[in-house]
């Protein structure tokens, strides 16, 4: 690219030396713009279900009561999206007066490729809700069961390239001839983004069975879920903006000429982002089986979940902005200004996340006989999650501003200003997160039984009829009065009829929370901010007559403006007038070269493994008064990994003669 600019400058010098008079008669303006955009987007989504089954069976014999609210679902979903967006805008404005040649060439090439693939598999998910009541009072309701496998892959590119070139040629009185301006801007952007997400479920099953004989009481609020989800997203964003402005003013004293301005800006951005997420669940199962004989009492609030989640994110962002401003005043002799800015950015980000669950299971099995009392509030969960993110951000900004003031009296020449700025950024980030759970299990099994009540021995009265005593308590329930037989011998055997308690199995169970967790988080990223600025200003020289001394306008680097020295407009202000000196001055050279190279690499890996964690709550009560509650059990394995690079480079050169 630098050879390209050198060849351009040589051609301009040849045009000035060999064809100056012809240019004075035939001013020429040439603008060439070429934009080539190639985009490719591929998207694939596949969802498979083999043997999902839903079954809701309610059997009532007797048969008052209400059944309701059973919701069962088997879902397998895959979504893949890939897209490209390229917005290329090129503007060239040339205004010429007098002799001069202006040439502007802008080339913008954008190549983008995005591929997204999502796969979701479910093989044997099954939902079954069975309610059997004999007697058959009471309500059933609120069973929700779900098996879900989801895969989402997103890949996209966005490239916005804007190039603006503005050239103005001032009037050249008398015999001033040469005024040549040339701008060449080339922006090439190449991006590739790949995203793959896979979610698999093999044997998840949900079963809620309620059997009541007697059969008062409510059942409700069972929520069971098996989830496997994978999310992968990869994207690139490249915003390249190049601005070049050149202004030449006419000569004075009848002999000014040979003013050449050349600006070449080249921006090349290459980005690649890969994201991969995989989530597997094998053999996850949820089961709730309350059995009541008697059968007053409430069941409720069981929430069981098996979850495997994998998320992977990879992305690149490159922000490149280059601005070049050149101005030459009306003057004597040759004045050459050349600016070349070259910014090359290479980025690569890869991210992978894997979450595996093999045999997590949740089971709640309360059994009550003679059967008042509340069940409730059981929450069990098996979770495996992996999150991986890798990203690059490169913001490169280069500013170059050159100003040459006019010479006077016909003897000033050969003033040269040259600025070269080169910024190269290479970034690479890789992130990997893996979470495994094998054989995690949660079990809650309360059993309550109310005892039979037996009558005591009754005392015989004169008529020989002995009466049984009170029956024993069965779980706060009274046994019935036992009736003895009649007889003449002593104390008659007074066992009463069996005294099942009228309210057997009192007491509430509740508040059991069990959890098995495995989580892995990995982050890798790069950030590079490169800022290069160069400002050069050359004042007037003279040969025994009053000349112009450049004044410095108040403001930051930016587009030079013709303002007085106290102006607040950014850039170099209009020269103020100072005292002249004698003598003939020439051959003043200013050269500024800035080179910034940034190389970054970040690797991050996180692994969390759980093999056989298990949680068990097994209260058994015979008799059976009292409350159970507030058991909280947890097995957790967590891994975090973070790798990051930050490079901030700033270079500034200001020269004034």
């Amino acid at each position: 690219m630098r050879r390209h600019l050198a060849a351009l400058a040589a051609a301009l010098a040849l045009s000035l030396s060999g064809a100056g008079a012809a240019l004075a008669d035939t001013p020429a303006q040439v603008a060439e713009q070429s934009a080539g955009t190639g985009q490719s987007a591929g998207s694939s989504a596949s969802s498979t279900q083999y043997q999902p089954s839903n079954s809701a069976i309610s059997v009532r014999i007797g048969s008052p009561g209400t059944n309701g609210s059973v919701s069962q679902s088997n879902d397998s979903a895959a979504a893949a999206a890939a897209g490209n967006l390229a917005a290329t805008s090129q503007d060239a404005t040339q205004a010429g007066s007098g002799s001069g040649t202006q040439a502007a060439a802008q080339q913008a090439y954008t190549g983008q490729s995005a591929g997204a693939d999502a796969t979701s598999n479910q093989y044997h998910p099954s939902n079954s809700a069975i309610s059997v009541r004999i007697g058959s009072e009471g309500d059933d309701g609120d069973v929700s069961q779900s098996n879900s496998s989801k895969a989402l892959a997103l890949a996209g590119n966005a490239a916005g390239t804007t190039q603006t070139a503005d050239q103005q040629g001032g009037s050249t009185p008398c015999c001033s001839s040469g005024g040549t301006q040339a701008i060449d801007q080339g922006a090439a952007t190449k991006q590739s983004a790949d995203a793959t997400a896979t979610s698999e479920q093999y044997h998840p099953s949900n079963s809620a069975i309620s059997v009541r004989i007697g059969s008062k009481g409510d059942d409700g609020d069972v929520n069971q879920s098996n989830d496997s989800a994978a999310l992968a997203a990869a994207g690139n964003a490249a915003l390249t903006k190049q601005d070049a402005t050149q202004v030449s003013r006419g000569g004075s004293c009848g002999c000014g000429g040979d003013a050449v301005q050349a600006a070449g800006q080249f921006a090349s951005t290459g980005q690649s982002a890969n994201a991969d997420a995989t989530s597997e669940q094998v053999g996850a199962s949820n089961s709730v089986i309350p059995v009541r004989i008697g059968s007053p009492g409430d069941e409720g609030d069981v929430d069981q979940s098996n979850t495997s989640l994998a998320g992977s994110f990879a992305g690149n962002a490159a922000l490149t902005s280059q601005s070049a401003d050149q101005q030459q005043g009306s003057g004597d002799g040759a004045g050459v200004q050349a600016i070349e800015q070259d910014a090359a950015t290479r980025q690569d980000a890869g991210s992978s996340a894997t979450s595996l669950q093999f045999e997590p299971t949740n089971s709640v099995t309360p059994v009550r006989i003679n059967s008042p009392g509340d069940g409730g509030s059981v929450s069990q969960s098996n979770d495996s999650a992996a999150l991986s993110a890798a990203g690059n951000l490169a913001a490169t900004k280069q500013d170059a501003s050159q100003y040459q003031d006019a010479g006077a009296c016909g003897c000033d020449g050969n003033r040269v200003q040259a600025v070269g700025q080169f910024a190269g950024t290479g970034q690479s980030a890789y992130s990997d997160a893996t979470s495994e759970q094998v054989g995690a299990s949660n079990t809650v099994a309360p059993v309550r039984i109310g005892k039979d009540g037996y009558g005591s021995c009754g005392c015989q009265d004169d008529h020989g009829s002995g009466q049984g005593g009170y029956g024993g308590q069965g779980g706060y329930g009274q046994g019935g009065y036992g009736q003895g037989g009649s007889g003449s011998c002593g104390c008659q055997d007074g066992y009463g009829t069996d005294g099942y308690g009228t309210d057997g199995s009192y007491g509430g169970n509740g508040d059991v929370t069990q959890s098995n967790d495995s989580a892995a988080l990995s982050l890798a990223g790069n950030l590079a901010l490169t800022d290069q600025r160069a400002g050069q200003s050359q004042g007037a020289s003279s040969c025994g007559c009053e000349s112009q001394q450049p004044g410095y306008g108040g403001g930051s680097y930016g587009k030079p403006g013709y303002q007085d020295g106290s102006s607040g407009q950014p850039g170099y202000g209009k020269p103020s007038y100072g005292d002249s000196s004698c003598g003939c001055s020439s051959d003043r050279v200013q050269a500024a070269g800035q080179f910034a190279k940034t190389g970054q690499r970040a690797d991050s890996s996180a692994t969390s493994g759980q093999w056989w964690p298990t949680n068990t709550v097994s209260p058994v009560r015979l008799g059976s008064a009292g409350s159970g509650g507030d058991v909280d059990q947890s097995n957790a394995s967590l891994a975090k990994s973070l790798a990051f690079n930050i490079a901030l480079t700033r270079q500034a050169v200001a020269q004034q003669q």
Side-chain angles (χ1 to χ4, degrees):
M1 291 182 181
R2 292 192 286 273
R3 290 196 298 271
H4 186 191
L5 183 58
L8 178 62
L12 291 173
L14 180 61
S15 66
L16 286 173
S17 62
L23 289 174
D25 294 332
T26 58
Q29 289 181 336
V30 177
E32 177 182 350
Q33 292 177 332
S34 175
T37 302
Q39 291 178 330
S40 174
S43 177
S44 175
S46 175
S47 175
T48 304
Q49 272 190 339
Y50 289 138
Q51 294 174 322
S53 175
N54 295 309
S55 177
I57 300 173
S58 175
V59 177
R60 285 187 285 163
I61 300 173
S63 312
T66 304
N67 289 318
S69 298
V70 175
S71 176
Q72 294 176 329
S73 176
N74 298 305
D75 298 303
S76 176
N84 306 114
L85 174 63
T88 302
S89 177
Q90 291 178 331
D91 293 315
T93 301
Q94 294 176 332
S97 177
S99 68
T101 299
Q102 291 179 334
Q106 293 177 331
Q107 303 92 20
Y109 170 79
T110 302
Q112 291 178 330
S113 175
D117 190 318
T119 301
S120 175
N121 295 320
Q122 267 192 346
Y123 293 130
H124 308 290
S126 176
N127 296 309
S128 177
I130 300 173
S131 174
V132 177
R133 286 187 284 164
I134 300 174
S136 311
E137 299 239 358
D139 310 315
D140 291 309
D142 295 302
V143 176
S144 177
Q145 295 176 328
S146 177
N147 298 304
S148 296
S149 176
K150 295 176 182 174
L152 176 62
L154 302 173
N157 306 114
T161 301
T162 301
Q163 291 178 331
T164 301
D166 183 82
Q167 291 179 336
Q168 298 182 26
S171 61
T172 57
C174 300
C175 61
S176 178
S177 59
T180 300
Q181 294 178 334
I183 294 175
D184 182 71
Q185 293 177 332
T189 302
K190 183 178 181 180
Q191 293 177 327
S192 176
D194 299 302
T196 299
T198 302
S199 175
E200 293 178 337
Q201 269 191 342
Y202 292 129
H203 309 289
S205 176
N206 296 308
S207 177
I209 300 173
S210 175
V211 177
R212 285 186 285 163
I213 300 173
S215 311
K216 289 213 177 193
D218 314 276
D219 290 309
D221 295 301
V222 175
N223 186 13
Q224 294 177 329
S225 178
N226 298 305
D227 297 300
S228 176
L231 173 62
N236 307 115
L239 303 176
T240 302
K241 182 180 180 182
Q242 292 179 328
D243 291 297
T245 301
Q246 293 176 330
V247 177
S248 291
R249 303 300 177 189
S252 63
C253 298
C255 60
D258 300 324
V260 177
Q261 290 181 332
Q265 294 176 331
F266 314 99
S268 176
T269 303
Q271 292 177 328
S272 176
N274 300 300
D276 189 310
T278 301
S279 175
E280 293 187 22
Q281 256 191 356
V282 179
S285 176
N286 296 308
S287 178
V288 178
I289 308 175
V291 176
R292 287 186 283 164
I293 300 174
S295 314
D298 313 279
E299 305 286 349
D301 295 301
V302 176
D303 188 355
Q304 294 178 328
S305 178
N306 298 305
T307 303
S308 176
L309 174 64
S312 178
F313 306 96
N316 306 115
L319 306 176
T320 302
S321 177
Q322 291 179 329
S323 178
D325 297 297
Q326 292 178 335
Q327 292 193 14
Q328 288 184 340
S330 60
D332 305 326
V336 177
Q337 291 181 331
I339 294 176
E340 176 173 354
Q341 293 176 331
D342 187 353
T345 303
R346 297 288 183 271
Q347 291 178 330
D348 186 9
S351 176
S352 176
T354 302
S355 175
L356 301 171
Q357 268 191 342
F358 290 128
E359 298 173 318
T361 181
N362 296 307
S363 178
V364 177
T365 313
V367 177
R368 288 187 285 164
I369 301 175
N370 262 356
S371 307
D374 316 277
S377 297
V378 175
S379 177
Q380 294 177 328
S381 178
N382 298 306
D383 297 298
S384 175
L387 175 62
S388 176
N392 305 115
L393 174 61
T396 302
K397 181 179 180 183
Q398 292 179 328
D399 290 294
S401 180
Q402 292 179 334
Y403 176 85
Q404 285 185 340
D405 186 45
C409 300
C411 62
D412 187 38
N414 300 326
R415 291 174 298 167
V416 177
Q417 289 181 330
V419 175
Q421 292 177 331
F422 313 104
T425 302
Q427 291 177 330
S428 176
Y430 298 99
S431 177
D432 188 300
T434 301
S435 175
E436 297 184 44
Q437 256 190 357
V438 179
S441 176
N442 296 308
T443 300
V444 177
V447 177
R448 289 185 282 166
I449 301 173
K451 287 185 178 179
D452 294 345
Y454 291 98
S456 61
C457 180
C459 284
Q460 179 177 329
D461 59 15
D462 293 337
H463 297 88
S465 61
Q467 191 178 44
Y470 282 107
Q473 283 186 340
Y476 281 118
Q478 282 187 341
Y481 282 103
Q483 182 66 46
S486 60
S488 59
C489 56
C491 188
Q492 184 176 356
D493 190 3
Y495 282 109
T497 58
D498 285 346
Y500 285 108
T502 57
D503 292 315
S505 308
Y506 245 90
N509 289 317
D511 296 302
V512 176
T513 299
Q514 294 177 329
S515 177
N516 298 306
D517 298 297
S518 175
L521 173 64
S522 177
L523 301 173
N526 305 115
L527 174 65
L529 303 176
T530 302
D531 189 351
Q532 292 180 330
R533 305 181 186 189
Q536 294 178 332
S537 174
Q538 288 186 342
S541 63
S542 63
C543 297
C545 57
E546 189 177 51
S547 66
Q548 296 177 347
Q549 180 80 19
Y552 205 91
S556 61
Y557 290 109
K559 180 178 179 181
Y562 284 91
Q563 300 290 332
D564 57 23
S566 63
S567 169
Q569 178 173 348
Y572 297 98
K574 182 180 179 181
S576 61
Y577 290 95
D579 293 334
S580 62
S581 61
C582 245
C584 197
S585 176
S586 63
D587 301 323
R588 290 178 295 169
V589 177
Q590 288 182 332
Q594 293 177 332
F595 312 96
K597 182 178 181 181
T598 303
Q600 291 178 329
R601 178 181 177 89
D603 297 302
S604 176
S605 177
T607 302
S608 175
Q610 270 192 342
W611 301 117
W612 294 285
T614 181
N615 295 309
T616 301
V617 177
S618 303
V620 177
R621 287 187 283 165
L622 301 172
S624 314
S627 305
D630 295 302
V631 176
D632 189 349
Q633 294 177 328
S634 177
N635 297 306
S637 175
L638 176 64
K640 296 181 181 179
S641 177
L642 174 64
F644 213 91
N645 304 116
I646 298 177
L648 304 175
T649 302
R650 186 180 184 276
Q651 294 177 329
V653 174
Q655 293 176 334
Q656 183 175 358
Q657 284 184 342

